Amino acid sequence: MKTVGLITMIAGFAAVMAVAAPGGGLKKGESVTPFHPKHLAGPLAGSTDCFPCTFQNRPQVQVWVNGDSLTNVAGIAGTLSSAMKTYKAKEFKGLVVFLTTPKNAKAIEAAVAEAAKKPELAGVGMAVLDVKDDAVSAYKVNTAASTKNVVYVYKNWKVAESFVNLGGDAAGQKTLAGAIASVTK
Amino acid sequence: MDLLRPSVCVIAASIAFTYIAGSVAAQNPAPVKPSQRTALPKFITTQKTMVEPSTLRRGASGKLVITLAVEDTFHIYDPNPGDPFLTATKVTPVKVPGVVFGKPIWPLPITVKGAKVHEGTVVVTIPFTIKPSAKPGKSTFGATFYAQGCNATTCYPPATFTVTVPVSIKD
């Protein structure tokens, strides 16, 4: 009986940890800040322009990728591409930022540039940023291996929703689409 | 081993409680102190707030003159920036009983990439009238700004700040 109690307690603790944003991240109401990634695809391709500075108060999403699989990221980016069409009148914009190290930067850039050619990801900004860039800490992105992605849905520079380790599957896409809908009203 | 189990439970519960308590505390930050409310954002390097005339009397009119120095190379947006997605600067006079503030008057903006902006030294004037029924004595006039500083390549997040000046209303 005592063993069952202990297991229940530990399981409960683990559940609390999972729900309470394991990767940290900006919370609702916090401000996004300027940063200058290397844009490989999308509206700022070929530049290091600041995404939120360029699109200002428009509804936007930033997806910070920290070692997530391209398949999962493609599911998320596909949702962004779809939302950019749905909310064209609201000028919704989406950006995926892949964190790199000097060792893997070239390989990631090549993979991202290739992935960006997929029609289902059309229009979505794709960029790379060194994992040691100041923006990583400014955006409170946990770079531990357990954090695969951090997603910020925001408008007027204020975070409306954030997700850590968002799935690119149907459930994750639905969650993200709902959050985007809330900032494009 | 049986003796250890309750201890483990207590430790686990204690860690879980600490974690939950920490989360709750993070969601309920301490109230902003008055001194922090008037802190200038980085893109405003200095400000000077004054009233004209310097001697205020009941029943008289005057103006609140706010001079902001915008950080070099940066600009703030005009209240009508010409693009709905830009951060229009909002100025709200601080309420003072017995004093009626008018609409803020801005200098003419310049146009940068199609947006109406202000650079360098920006003087905003707010006319006011002191009602005859106003209480004489010491008071504080001021205004709260909501603005964003940007330059050609970057922006600060929008910020709210308040500027004030102590005044004395005479009979």
Side-chain angles (χ1 to χ4, degrees), chain A residues 102-175:
Chain A
K103 268 189 179 178
N104 68 17
K106 277 193 175 176
I108 290 182
E109 281 187 33
V112 170
E114 194 58 34
K117 292 176 186 169
K118 292 182 178 178
E120 62 268 30
L121 307 184
V124 177
M126 300 275 184
V128 289
L129 187 71
D130 190 277
V131 73
K132 290 188 175 167
D133 192 282
D134 289 345
V136 177
S137 55
Y139 275 81
K140 299 181 182 174
V141 175
N142 187 338
T143 55
S146 58
T147 299
K148 299 297 182 189
N149 66 61
V150 180
V151 180
Y152 294 118
V153 181
Y154 62 97
K155 185 183 178 183
N156 297 333
W157 292 76
K158 297 280 185 195
V159 173
E161 294 263 14
S162 64
F163 306 100
V164 176
N165 291 341
L166 182 69
D169 56 359
Q173 291 176 3
K174 189 179 175 187
T175 300

Side-chain angles (χ1 to χ4, degrees), chain A residues 2-3 5-6 9-10 13 16-17 20-22 31-36 49-50 52-59 89-91 156-158, chain B residues 2-3 5-6 8-10 12-13 15-17 19-20 23 26-27 77 83-88 146 148 150 152-158:
Chain A
K2 281 179 182 172
T3 308
L6 176 62
M9 183 69 80
I10 292 171
F13 174 58
V16 168
M17 292 293 283
S31 288
V32 297
T33 49
F35 68 107
H36 298 266
D49 287 356
C50 162
C53 310
T54 303
F55 298 112
Q56 292 280 349
N57 293 337
R58 291 166 176 82
K90 301 283 184 180
E91 302 195 31
N156 297 333
W157 292 76
K158 297 280 185 195
Chain B
D2 276 346
L3 284 174
R5 280 177 185 155
V8 171
C9 286
V10 168
I15 293 170
F17 174 74
Y19 194 83
I20 294 166
S23 299
Q27 288 163 7
Y77 293 98
D83 179 336
F85 291 112
L86 297 176
T87 302
Y146 176 74
Q148 180 177 34
C150 291
T153 58
T154 195
C155 294
Y156 290 103

Side-chain angles (χ1 to χ4, degrees), chain B residues 98-167:
Chain B
V99 180
V100 180
F101 288 93
K103 200 177 168 188
I105 299 164
W106 283 76
L108 280 178
I110 60 168
T111 302
V112 174
K113 289 184 182 174
K116 291 176 185 170
V117 304
H118 299 273
E119 295 178 340
T121 301
V122 183
V123 181
V124 180
T125 304
I126 306 176
F128 62 81
T129 302
I130 302 170
K131 291 180 180 174
S133 59
K135 246 186 176 179
K138 289 182 179 176
S139 185
T140 301
F141 285 12
T144 298
F145 285 74
Y146 176 74
Q148 180 177 34
C150 291
N151 67 11
T153 58
T154 195
C155 294
Y156 290 103
T160 300
F161 60 98
T162 301
V163 297
T164 58
V165 59
V167 299

Side-chain angles (χ1 to χ4, degrees), chain A residues 27-84:
Chain A
K27 300 288 178 281
K28 186 176 177 178
E30 287 191 275
S31 288
V32 297
T33 49
F35 68 107
H36 298 266
K38 181 180 177 182
H39 294 277
L40 303 173
L44 302 179
S47 77
T48 57
D49 287 356
C50 162
F51 191 78
C53 310
T54 303
F55 298 112
Q56 292 280 349
N57 293 337
R58 291 166 176 82
Q60 298 164 45
V61 167
Q62 285 179 28
V63 181
W64 290 69
V65 179
N66 181 49
D68 201 355
S69 73
L70 270 181
T71 307
N72 195 62
V73 176
I76 297 170
T79 305
L80 299 183
S81 179
S82 176
M84 286 173 72

Side-chain angles (χ1 to χ4, degrees), chain B residues 70-111:
Chain B
V70 180
E71 184 180 348
D72 194 29
T73 78
F74 280 78
H75 56 251
I76 59 173
Y77 293 98
D78 189 71
N80 299 298
D83 179 336
F85 291 112
L86 297 176
T87 302
T89 303
K90 289 176 189 162
V91 187
T92 310
V94 174
K95 284 185 179 173
V96 180
V99 180
V100 180
F101 288 93
K103 200 177 168 188
I105 299 164
W106 283 76
L108 280 178
I110 60 168
T111 302

